[in-house]
């Protein structure tokens, strides 16, 4: 079997994603289907709060791990820490949920009503983290 030497990797996402490690308390807001107006959602009351951990971040959204399942028909409000910027209060729409090991649930989400300035701050942070990772020295394997 011969391997190709012309392999091309394509990025199909609109935004690049990085690992992000942040504990959060997410506010759960009831959001009937078809409600897409972020201003109207901002006025809706909080139903409950859930503890979780943001595990990845992009300018388009984030992934959060919770210890309990979360229905897709809610909006989450959470504080997002982006170094070099003030704490961002973001609203996210759930794109998908998946049960993962240890009784945890992975929630993939996209930002709703995020200002262009805030989206740019996140994109710059993601780009900076990618550059750091690309230039980080690698340690030789097999050395203890």
């Amino acid at each position: 079997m011969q391997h190709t030497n012309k392999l091309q990797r394509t990025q199909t996402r609109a935004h690049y994603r990085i690992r992000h490690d942040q504990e959060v308390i997410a506010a759960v807001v009831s959001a009937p289907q078809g409600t897409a107006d972020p201003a109207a959602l901002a006025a809706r009351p909080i139903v409950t709060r859930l503890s979780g951990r943001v595990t990845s971040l992009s300018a388009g959204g984030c992934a959060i791990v919770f210890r309990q399942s979360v229905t897709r028909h809610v909006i989450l409000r959470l504080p997002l820490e982006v170094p070099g910027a003030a704490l961002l209060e973001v609203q996210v729409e759930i794109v998908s949920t998946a049960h993962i090991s240890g009784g945890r649930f992975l929630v993939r989400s996209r930002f709703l009503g995020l200002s262009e300035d805030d989206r740019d701050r996140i994109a710059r942070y993601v780009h900076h983290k990618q550059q750091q990772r690309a230039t980080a020295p690698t340690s030789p394997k097999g050395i203890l």
Side-chain angles (χ1 to χ4, degrees):
M1 177 180 216
Q2 294 185 353
H3 295 281
T4 182
N5 60 357
K6 295 182 181 182
L7 184 63
Q8 292 183 345
R9 183 176 187 277
T10 58
Q11 171 75 11
T12 59
R13 296 178 174 273
H15 304 282
Y16 289 100
R17 177 179 60 195
I18 59 165
R19 290 194 186 277
H20 187 75
D21 187 27
Q22 176 194 336
E23 287 188 34
V24 293
I25 303 294
V28 178
V29 178
S30 177
Q33 283 185 315
T35 305
D37 180 20
L41 291 173
R44 296 191 63 87
I46 295 170
V47 176
T48 190
R49 296 182 191 276
L50 301 172
S51 294
R53 178 171 295 279
V54 177
T55 58
S56 73
L57 177 65
S58 78
C62 61
I64 312 162
V65 174
F66 292 104
R67 291 228 171 256
Q68 62 222 55
S69 67
V70 181
T71 181
R72 286 189 61 185
H73 302 296
V74 297
I75 298 297
L76 301 175
R77 286 185 199 142
L78 55 122
L80 188 60
E81 296 171 2
V82 177
L87 188 68
L88 301 176
E89 184 76 24
V90 297
Q91 292 189 127
V92 297
E93 175 182 36
I94 297 174
V95 174
S96 68
T97 61
H99 184 261
I100 57 177
S101 65
R104 298 172 301 152
F105 296 84
L106 176 66
V107 173
R108 293 178 184 96
S109 65
R110 74 173 151 237
F111 295 127
L112 290 175
L114 194 63
S115 73
E116 285 301 314
D117 286 343
D118 290 342
R119 190 174 309 278
D120 287 346
R121 284 184 194 133
I122 295 169
R124 282 192 305 271
Y125 171 67
V126 168
H127 179 72
H128 174 72
K129 293 298 281 186
Q130 285 180 322
Q131 294 304 312
Q132 279 183 331
R133 187 170 185 220
T135 59
T138 58
S139 61
K141 292 186 180 184
I143 295 178
L144 297 177

